[in-house]
Amino acid sequence: MALMERILVIHLMFFALSRVVVNSAATTGGGLINPLKLEMFVDELPDMPKIKGYYAANGVVKPKKLEIGMFEKKWKFHRDLPPTPVFAFGTSSLTASVPGPTIEALHGIDTYVTWQNHLPPNHILPIDPTIPTAMPSNKKGVPTVVHLHGGIDEPESDGYAKSWFTAGFEEKGPTWTNETYHYHNMQQPGNTWYHDHTMGLTRVNLLAGLIGAYILRHPDVEAPLRLPSGDVFDRPLFVFDRNFLTNGSIYMNSTGNNPSIHPQWQPEYFGDVIVVNGKAWPRMTVRRRKYRFRIINASNARFFRFFFTNGLRFIHVGSDSAYLGKPVVTNDTVLAPAEIADVVIDFSESTSDVAILANDAPYPYPAGNPVNDANGKVMKFIILKNRETDPWRVPEKLIEYPSADLSAASTTRYIAMYEYTSNTGKPTHLLINAKTLEDPVTETPK
């Protein structure tokens, strides 16, 4: 497939190129809110809506067709914060959420999704047109396209950056192919996530809220492991950072690092308010037994180094879209943007009734600013006192995958990613092997 090398490599460049957002709302939305004015741990951790990508008829599991839309709505990130304008995924405007619904798929059972754009004529956040950006001919409508991050899918269903479309498919990008995406779900069980991937707008569309989890299950393989399962004990955790204005709007600096070149674009965005599943510094009451958390870092640029203040450990069972061969126990874990840590936490080992999930990763990582009182906390676990019989376990071995035979490689490719800077040392653009995204494909691995 001629585009495969380009899709895999350029995806990294594109995600980096589109990693900052701007917002002129600071002039109309009041001042920047002091995050320490928002009391921590007052909102319950939400459990995001779930949608099955399959159905059963007469005992037979069959493929399912889903319709999931993107809507503008108001979202409450904190009890004491005014509702925030967001873009959200959902089956309706009423049920749309940030993050969006968790799609649960089954290995070997096809899932079809028609991603529907119901977004308004104009973006809720400003854009910088001096970088390559999807732009409708009439300058109306918010372009979107959905990428399943970690999915192994056909190009027509990959959510390529130039396959964008506006509301009602009125305008479409140059590589747009079809309205309905086909996810074959043939890869190993694990965690992926879906998000907007529009050329030049990924940064604003994600920060506006267009993210969601996609879990691929394989009961025949996973059930014998006896890891924590079910809605109560197996939870995705979307973690990201934001700043807010006093009127509730998302705040982003409106001046670019190189304003004479890109008036608004910056390579990184950092917020002091840490959000988990759509709530700022939430709390969760847990029982003294094992829980599984699929932690997704959906931040623009912030790394997290998670640790528990009471010494609880992370038992890693998976990383990104695959299981590990055997569990790995750590006292802390570093998670980069777009990375997933699949971990088990055994709350029966806690010596206290409260555990704070904290963060001490400098930003930018690894040699930037130290964390502060706001972004150094993530969420609070309230642990019930009574111990319970726990049927879940973490086996000594998980899932072994065949190793690649490197000697079978017929070609060695050297891929160089260059970041260019201005005279002030600020980044201006990225190239791969001195080529842009628009250049013809050079690598066509079979």
Side-chain angles (χ1 to χ4, degrees):
M1 187 162 52
L3 284 176
M4 180 58 74
E5 184 79 4
R6 190 170 189 171
I7 289 172
L8 291 175
V9 178
I10 294 234
H11 179 77
L12 296 173
M13 182 187 83
F14 177 75
F15 193 77
L17 256 179
S18 54
R19 281 194 319 176
V20 115
V21 295
V22 294
N23 189 353
S24 61
T27 60
T28 59
L32 185 65
I33 195 167
N34 180 352
L36 297 180
K37 297 293 185 181
L38 299 174
E39 186 178 351
M40 293 183 178
F41 317 132
V42 296
D43 290 298
E44 293 290 335
L45 175 77
D47 193 7
M48 310 321 297
K50 293 181 175 62
I51 300 177
K52 293 189 183 300
Y54 58 92
Y55 74 100
N58 298 321
V60 178
V61 181
K62 296 184 177 182
K64 189 174 182 179
K65 295 182 179 180
L66 306 176
E67 293 184 355
I68 299 177
M70 293 160 270
F71 302 89
E72 179 187 10
K73 67 179 300 181
K74 296 290 185 69
W75 185 260
K76 284 281 288 184
F77 283 99
H78 187 276
R79 180 193 66 185
D80 300 324
L81 191 67
T84 300
V86 297
F87 290 164
F89 283 111
T91 55
S92 69
S93 177
L94 181 64
T95 62
S97 58
V98 179
T102 298
I103 300 174
E104 296 186 335
L106 282 182
H107 176 81
I109 306 298
D110 302 272
T111 297
Y112 298 86
V113 182
T114 300
W115 300 102
Q116 298 176 330
N117 185 340
H118 300 291
L119 298 177
N122 299 304
H123 212 292
I124 60 174
L125 302 172
I127 64 173
D128 191 335
T130 64
I131 63 174
T133 300
M135 192 67 67
S137 60
N138 63 1
K139 305 295 192 296
K140 294 292 184 182
V142 177
T144 62
V145 63
V146 180
H147 172 66
L148 182 57
H149 193 114
I152 301 175
D153 299 302
E154 58 199 32
E156 295 82 3
S157 301
D158 185 64
Y160 187 56
K162 294 185 177 182
S163 299
W164 54 266
F165 55 96
T166 57
F169 299 99
E170 181 177 349
E171 288 207 46
K172 300 177 279 288
T175 61
W176 183 90
T177 52
N178 49 273
E179 295 182 7
T180 300
Y181 281 16
H182 180 190
Y183 300 120
H184 296 268
N185 298 324
M186 291 303 297
Q187 64 198 82
Q188 294 289 341
N191 308 294
T192 58
W193 62 295
Y194 59 93
H195 60 77
D196 176 86
H197 199 232
T198 308
M199 172 69 75
L201 298 177
T202 299
R203 65 198 194 285
V204 285
N205 287 349
L206 267 67
L207 281 157
L210 293 180
I211 57 177
Y214 189 108
I215 298 175
L216 181 57
R217 303 188 187 278
H218 194 331
D220 292 343
V221 172
E222 296 180 281
L225 301 177
R226 290 174 54 196
L227 292 168
S229 64
D231 293 345
V232 174
F233 302 106
D234 183 356
R235 303 279 293 271
L237 297 181
F238 262 100
V239 186
F240 51 86
D241 56 342
R242 295 290 187 272
N243 277 324
F244 297 96
L245 299 174
T246 55
N247 71 350
S249 298
I250 296 171
Y251 168 76
M252 288 153 280
N253 191 342
S254 60
T255 303
N257 284 9
N258 298 289
S260 63
I261 302 172
H262 302 304
Q264 299 169 327
W265 183 81
Q266 297 186 9
E268 292 172 314
Y269 171 90
F270 295 103
D272 284 322
V273 178
I274 306 302
V275 179
V276 186
N277 286 6
K279 292 295 182 182
W281 308 291
R283 68 188 182 204
M284 178 183 178
T285 300
V286 295
R287 292 143 69 174
R288 286 189 176 269
R289 53 193 296 176
K290 300 178 188 69
Y291 284 70
R292 180 176 182 176
F293 296 106
R294 304 164 190 259
I295 308 174
I296 304 166
N297 182 357
S299 300
N300 174 276
R302 182 182 292 278
F303 281 64
F304 288 97
R305 184 161 57 209
F306 296 115
F307 67 95
F308 282 100
T309 55
N310 68 341
L312 279 174
R313 300 178 299 170
F314 301 88
I315 308 172
H316 295 257
V317 297
S319 179
D320 291 324
S321 61
Y323 276 89
L324 301 178
K326 59 182 180 180
V328 176
V329 180
T330 64
N331 292 319
D332 56 55
T333 183
V334 176
L335 212 58
E339 193 174 13
I340 302 175
D342 195 338
V343 300
V344 171
I345 308 297
D346 189 350
F347 290 102
S348 70
E349 294 185 351
S350 176
T351 57
S352 63
D353 297 334
V354 170
I356 304 297
L357 181 62
N359 162 54
D360 66 358
Y363 59 102
Y365 190 81
N369 301 313
V371 297
N372 55 42
D373 291 338
N375 58 49
K377 301 289 191 301
V378 179
M379 66 176 291
K380 177 181 181 179
F381 291 93
I382 301 170
I383 307 168
L384 299 179
K385 292 183 179 296
N386 294 333
R387 292 183 177 271
E388 299 185 10
T389 301
D390 188 349
W392 312 122
R393 67 183 183 114
V394 179
E396 294 182 0
K397 293 184 178 181
L398 294 163
I399 299 179
E400 296 283 353
Y401 303 102
S403 300
D405 181 7
L406 300 183
S407 65
S410 60
T411 304
T412 299
R413 293 175 172 84
Y414 296 94
I415 306 296
M417 300 179 68
Y418 293 90
E419 180 179 76
Y420 292 83
T421 61
S422 65
N423 293 335
T424 60
K426 302 295 184 180
T428 59
H429 62 287
L430 302 174
L431 296 180
I432 296 181
N433 282 359
K435 297 185 182 299
T436 68
L437 181 72
E438 288 76 19
D439 285 323
V441 171
T442 61
E443 311 300 326
T444 57
K446 303 300 180 184

